[in-house]
Amino acid sequence: RALYYSPLVDRLAQCFPRPDNGTNGGPCRGRVLVPGAGLCRLAYEIQKRGFHVEASELSPHMMMCTAVVMDSIASKETHTIYPFVHHIVGNRCRDDQVRAVVVPDVLTDPQADAGLIVPVHGEFVHLYAGAGHAGAWSAVVTCFFIDTAHNVLNYVTTIRNLLPPGGVWLNLGPLSWHFADQLSETSIELPWEDLRQVILGSGFTLVTEEEVEGPYAANPRGLMHQAYTSIFFHAVRTKEKHTSSPEPTSDHLTT
């Protein structure tokens, strides 16, 4: 979580300094949309920094779990789960497969947080492509999300329309393209250099581009680990779409 969430949360806080000169509480720092929010932990961390957050998620199972954690649990570390019980290969020992994890590690306050974080169920483009959301968000934060698109151009266009000029798009995640191997599904799989040009041509300026190396969804005690090289970028929405974009060079990304 620190590897993937902290760069996004910290950069967002830098982009929107507290209007009360840094003290806790005070006015809202801005409205942030977190699509593909999963269990809403990233949205929660952003909300704790003083933002109003809307977290959209397509999976009803994720949304149900989020509702339980946010609304129905009265104290920390009250539920035990076994996240690796179905991992039957690559185990160092039997106990690793049935290792328990106690959740949650933080406790939300439904009354204090009411209206500050809003979970919304649905598909991202369907929910937010309408004119009612145009320019309505201070920032969009995407984490392990943009490669869930059938057509990533729709995602980029929707995110651009959500932001006013000067609005911020922060992204961190790989380009594994979830539907690439499903012959019955539409899937546009762009390499980063092409997606970068699409983002620039859609009316964004890229402030930061970095590569982040790290594991994903693996038993840390196991013998098998899945890892990604993720793209972290900070983009700012400009007033108009660019009619042309600079040619890509080999030094756009830093590690």
Side-chain angles (χ1 to χ4, degrees), residues 79-251:
H79 291 65
T80 302
I81 62 174
Y82 299 87
F84 311 113
V85 71
H86 295 297
H87 292 195
I88 60 175
V89 297
N91 292 305
R92 193 179 304 275
C93 62
R94 296 186 187 92
D95 289 344
D96 289 346
Q97 186 177 354
V98 294
R99 181 164 61 91
V101 176
V102 181
V103 296
D105 64 333
V106 295
L107 184 64
T108 62
D109 185 337
Q111 293 183 341
D113 298 339
L116 299 182
I117 178 169
V118 180
V120 178
H121 174 246
E123 194 275 328
F124 171 61
V125 175
H126 177 75
L127 286 173
Y128 297 105
H133 288 282
W137 302 90
S138 309
V140 176
V141 179
T142 51
C143 185
F144 280 72
F145 174 70
I146 59 175
D147 60 352
T148 66
H150 290 274
N151 182 349
V152 70
L153 279 67
N154 290 340
Y155 276 15
V156 175
T157 300
T158 300
I159 292 171
R160 179 191 182 276
N161 292 339
L162 291 169
L163 297 169
V168 172
W169 177 13
L170 301 178
N171 173 81
L172 197 157
L175 299 179
S176 60
W177 305 119
H178 289 204
F179 299 101
D181 297 326
Q182 301 184 33
L183 299 180
S184 61
E185 299 284 351
T186 299
S187 181
I188 297 178
E189 305 102 18
L190 298 181
W192 168 241
E193 68 173 354
D194 291 345
L195 179 56
R196 181 183 189 278
Q197 294 300 99
V198 168
I199 293 169
L200 291 173
S202 298
F204 287 96
T205 298
L206 286 168
V207 178
T208 299
E209 302 169 65
E210 300 175 3
E211 292 184 358
V212 177
E213 306 275 352
Y216 182 78
N219 186 344
R221 300 180 185 177
L223 299 174
M224 299 175 62
H225 301 278
Q226 183 178 7
Y228 285 116
T229 299
S230 295
I231 304 296
F232 170 57
F233 67 74
H234 169 190
V236 175
R237 201 266 218 197
T238 57
K239 291 184 178 180
E240 301 294 339
K241 293 183 179 180
H242 302 309
T243 56
S244 61
S245 300
E247 291 297 319
T249 63
S250 60
D251 60 350

